[in-house]
Amino acid sequence: MKKIEKEWWRTATIYQIYPKSFCDSGNKGTGDLKGIISKLDYLKALGIDAIWLTPIYSSPMIDNGYDISDYYTINPDFGCMADFDLLLQSAHQRGIRIILDIVVNHTSTEHHWFKSALGNKESEYRDYYIWKDPINGQAPNNWQSKFGGNAWQLDEKSNQYYLHLFATEQADLNWENPKVRDEVKDIISFWAEKGVDGFRLDVINLISKQQDYANDFQGDGRRFYTDGPRVHEYLRDLSDAVFNKYGSVTVGEMSSTTLQQCQQYSALDGKELSMVFNFHHLKVDYVNGEKWTQAPFDFIQLKTIFNHWQQGMSGKGWSALFWCNHDQPRIVSRLGNDQEYRVQSAKMLATSMHMMQGTPYIYQGEEIAMTNPGYTSIAQYRDLESLNMYDIMLNQQGKSEQEVLAILAQKSRDNSRSPIQWSSAPHGGFTKGTPWLEVAHNYKQVNVQQALDDQDSAFYYYQRLIELRKEVEVITTGDYTDLMPEHSQLFCYQRRSDKQTLICINNYYAEPVEYQLPTHLEIEQGKYILGNYPELLTDKPQRVITLRPYECRVLLIEDH
């Protein structure tokens, strides 16, 4: 246990901020660093241990800051370096750590390295990127960009193509070049020296490409660069040179990865990363793997995925646990009931995630059960991916506008990017100006002030979830068993350590359902430590219980 005490992040809860939508300190209509500083006392009251900030560096914002043009300066939209230094100092004064998002698979094509390399084979930075000659006058291979279309862009002046796995304006870095790896170490060291506590590494498992750059006749090319040949070598080197030196916590975003790879990335010896994100559980409402569809989620599949990862990572690696982020719709609208049972279903979904092994991440607004904004017109959307898909679904797939808007209302990334609803004031108190993206229609009923005034709100429930992770040892160390893998309505699992057993019972639907606790449990030794219907905590555990709509219960049994 001594090692775990040093590794603060194992019992921590981390709060993700998307600065553009968090809080505007003035009337620009976009959030900023001063806005975040003004809300630190609120986050302290919630009880979170650290803030993860999505990218705040200089950027043309083609991909919301994930296209970095200067790693050493702050995007003026968010403020200046003095603002960042004050944020860091103010957070640390409150015992809150800061984790920065870092993007080192690619840079913006506006970065001075790329601008020097473009059209100039003699540039000292040419080999910082991946260049290939045309083959028969065409792109070097058939790899596809994650944002659609071919992953190669021709530089007409030098008659070579550069690789971009994401937008054309995001050129992939050549990690085979040791100078690139040294630059990355310097960048991360600069922020660590300032006192930044950790780093979230964007699509970090894509940095090593197979060097033959072969055509992929079975797919889009991802099998040749996902978890590539030298990725573990690169991460061990980075960890050894920077992360371990500064004691940085690290979380790797893993694209299209596997359990076996994640066991290695986040192995308990700490030679690579502290923990990993994977996204498999957030594709259970994709029809045949297609995102831009409308469908109920596959509940059995959801439980199967959790079981696979919880059991597979136990004792081998460490997971980041999450429902929401800046790229995913709001979970209460997605898997819960954002109308009649908004607060109950939000609490239930939070419970079923937070009682697992790993480090939970709360996305801004999740703690007050914010919903999808319910946009009804394409004019309300700003997300490039959503606007492109609107055009494709309408004009190429022949869907009706009503059908397309219904899909966007369920799947668009703007569902999570609408501004935080701080109060019932105009625009939810987010800005004194006109917000860059419209606030959700329900902001007068769903807002931070309302949640703080209501002792039974989701906010205070999240507060308790955060406390429990520090108080109840089995949540951190226990193994995982799915008790009802085939049940069509209940998600029930057991966490067990040497001295404690925890049972987490969740009704994922609006219909009441009966559940019988397993006979091996000595329930008379147990007590309820959490539930989303208030009178529950005084109840004595019964063997057979009836769960109300979206009800959850957490039972703790101390082994004697």
Side-chain angles (χ1 to χ4, degrees):
M1 280 299 290
K2 278 194 175 132
K3 189 176 181 198
I4 283 178
E5 279 160 14
K6 273 198 308 193
E7 294 169 335
W8 61 269
W9 39 269
R10 290 187 190 273
T11 57
T13 303
I14 297 172
Y15 189 92
Q16 183 193 349
I17 288 181
Y18 186 72
K20 193 172 182 180
S21 296
F22 189 67
C23 179
D24 177 10
S25 64
N27 57 8
K28 305 181 306 303
T30 55
D32 51 37
L33 295 176
K34 285 180 178 169
I36 298 170
I37 294 167
S38 75
K39 301 298 183 185
L40 286 174
D41 286 337
Y42 165 74
L43 296 176
K44 172 76 176 166
L46 181 59
I48 52 105
D49 299 270
I51 293 166
W52 152 33
L53 292 175
T54 59
I56 53 172
Y57 319 95
S58 292
S59 166
M61 300 295 278
I62 299 293
D63 186 27
N64 292 285
Y66 285 89
D67 48 323
I68 298 171
S69 55
D70 186 344
Y71 290 94
Y72 295 98
T73 59
I74 301 290
N75 184 333
D77 291 350
F78 299 135
C80 62
M81 192 62 83
D83 296 331
F84 177 77
D85 291 339
L86 181 60
L87 169 61
L88 194 60
Q89 180 193 356
S90 305
H92 284 168
Q93 283 169 349
R94 291 164 175 81
I96 297 171
R97 293 174 168 95
I98 298 286
I99 295 169
L100 286 189
D101 216 318
I102 197 91
V103 188
V104 288
N105 175 69
H106 47 263
T107 73
S108 165
T109 51
E110 293 297 308
H111 195 289
H112 77 89
W113 299 339
F114 189 83
K115 284 162 88 169
S116 168
L118 192 65
N120 179 10
K121 287 185 178 180
E122 304 309 312
S123 164
E124 63 177 308
Y125 298 113
R126 182 77 175 184
D127 197 38
Y128 275 38
Y129 298 91
I130 297 164
W131 302 92
K132 297 291 167 194
D133 292 326
I135 295 177
N136 301 324
Q138 302 291 321
N141 64 33
N142 66 349
W143 295 5
Q144 295 295 296
S145 156
K146 302 270 188 189
F147 289 171
N150 195 277
W152 296 92
Q153 180 71 17
L154 182 64
D155 168 23
E156 289 181 1
K157 201 168 173 188
S158 67
N159 195 36
Q160 281 192 318
Y161 285 85
Y162 69 85
L163 180 69
H164 61 92
L165 293 180
F166 294 88
T168 312
E169 298 88 351
Q170 291 168 293
D172 277 53
L173 285 165
N174 176 21
W175 275 70
E176 293 285 322
N177 181 349
K179 287 183 181 171
V180 167
R181 303 200 294 274
D182 287 343
E183 294 272 15
V184 169
K185 289 172 195 168
D186 288 347
I187 290 162
I188 297 173
S189 297
F190 169 81
W191 293 100
E193 285 282 347
K194 273 188 165 289
V196 168
D197 302 281
F199 301 91
R200 183 260 190 193
L201 300 150
D202 187 61
V203 295
I204 196 65
N205 63 325
L206 309 185
I207 57 177
S208 172
K209 281 76 170 172
Q210 278 192 29
Q211 291 301 294
D212 56 357
Y213 290 92
N215 276 306
D216 187 354
F217 297 114
Q218 298 170 32
D220 59 8
R222 72 181 62 193
R223 65 197 179 102
F224 295 131
Y225 59 74
T226 302
D227 306 316
R230 298 183 67 188
V231 66
H232 293 288
E233 173 198 337
Y234 294 154
L235 285 176
R236 282 193 295 272
D237 180 41
L238 194 54
S239 182
D240 200 41
V242 185
F243 302 141
N244 288 341
K245 177 180 172 183
Y246 293 101
S248 308
V249 64
T250 50
V251 53
E253 182 201 21
M254 300 296 161
S255 172
S256 307
T257 191
T258 63
L259 171 63
Q260 290 70 28
Q261 290 288 347
C262 286
Q263 289 168 342
Q264 198 171 338
Y265 289 127
S266 65
L268 303 182
D269 62 13
K271 286 187 177 168
E272 293 187 27
L273 302 172
S274 311
M275 64 186 109
V276 287
F277 279 116
N278 79 80
F279 297 91
H280 296 77
H281 64 293
L282 291 173
K283 294 180 180 172
V284 294
D285 56 356
Y286 289 14
V287 180
N288 301 320
E290 288 296 316
K291 171 178 173 176
W292 298 100
T293 49
Q294 226 189 340
F297 68 102
D298 185 330
F299 181 51
I300 304 296
Q301 187 192 14
L302 181 73
K303 295 192 286 183
T304 302
I305 291 166
F306 281 144
N307 189 63
H308 175 70
W309 283 87
Q310 281 288 298
Q311 293 202 342
M313 291 293 272
S314 183
K316 291 181 177 161
W318 199 257
S319 292
L321 306 171
F322 70 105
W323 280 125
C324 302
N325 65 28
H326 60 288
D327 286 333
Q328 302 289 339
R330 294 272 175 196
I331 201 64
V332 71
S333 298
R334 191 173 187 178
L335 303 189
N337 180 325
D338 65 7
Q339 301 295 316
E340 190 181 353
Y341 298 107
R342 180 180 64 87
V343 175
Q344 291 95 328
S345 63
K347 290 177 180 178
M348 181 277 295
L349 289 162
T351 306
S352 64
M353 183 63 78
H354 281 243
M355 290 298 110
M356 292 193 211
Q357 186 175 62
T359 299
Y361 284 68
I362 298 168
Y363 178 69
Q364 59 183 43
E366 187 185 334
E367 76 281 7
I368 60 163
M370 264 180 71
T371 67
N372 288 348
Y375 297 150
T376 53
S377 156
I378 193 62
Q380 293 171 288
Y381 288 91
R382 298 290 175 269
D383 174 40
L384 190 60
E385 182 190 35
S386 301
L387 298 174
N388 288 345
M389 287 311 302
Y390 173 83
D391 188 50
I392 289 167
M393 289 189 283
L394 206 61
N395 299 318
Q396 293 177 29
Q397 297 175 1
K399 290 184 164 76
S400 70
E401 180 161 45
Q402 188 180 2
E403 198 179 351
V404 172
L405 288 171
I407 292 169
L408 286 176
Q410 191 177 23
K411 295 288 175 67
S412 170
R413 300 191 297 185
D414 279 344
N415 285 313
S416 60
R417 295 175 181 180
S418 65
I420 294 298
Q421 297 149 213
W422 292 103
S423 69
S424 58
H427 311 303
F430 163 71
T431 179
K432 295 185 177 74
T434 303
W436 75 279
L437 188 63
E438 279 182 42
V439 177
H441 61 89
N442 58 9
Y443 74 89
K444 287 190 175 170
Q445 294 76 45
V446 183
N447 59 66
V448 168
Q449 193 54 57
Q450 179 276 328
L452 292 174
D453 291 343
D454 175 8
Q455 287 302 311
D456 198 32
S457 72
F459 176 89
Y460 295 107
Y461 194 87
Y462 269 86
Q463 202 179 50
R464 186 67 189 129
L465 283 170
I466 293 165
E467 288 169 351
L468 281 173
R469 181 160 288 272
K470 291 184 168 56
E471 293 169 6
V472 181
E473 172 266 347
V474 68
I475 301 173
T476 305
T477 62
D479 62 17
Y480 176 96
T481 307
D482 189 336
L483 299 173
M484 308 281 284
E486 299 304 320
H487 198 286
S488 62
Q489 195 171 338
L490 286 172
F491 179 27
C492 305
Y493 58 84
Q494 172 183 285
R495 304 287 314 285
R496 188 171 173 81
S497 65
D498 292 343
K499 296 182 181 154
Q500 294 176 319
T501 301
L502 181 144
I503 306 294
C504 185
I505 309 160
N506 305 281
N507 178 7
Y508 263 63
Y509 294 91
E511 294 75 39
V513 60
E514 195 172 90
Y515 175 61
Q516 183 167 341
L517 284 159
T519 50
H520 72 266
L521 293 174
E522 297 179 23
I523 59 170
E524 58 281 358
Q525 312 278 0
K527 60 175 183 183
Y528 287 122
I529 57 169
L530 195 66
N532 62 348
Y533 280 77
E535 69 281 9
L536 172 80
L537 296 182
T538 55
D539 289 1
K540 277 208 171 311
Q542 304 294 316
R543 187 70 63 185
V544 179
I545 53 177
T546 299
L547 291 149
R548 289 159 282 194
Y550 296 100
E551 183 169 7
C552 64
R553 302 185 183 195
V554 179
L555 178 66
L556 181 66
I557 299 167
E558 304 277 357
D559 298 352
H560 294 285

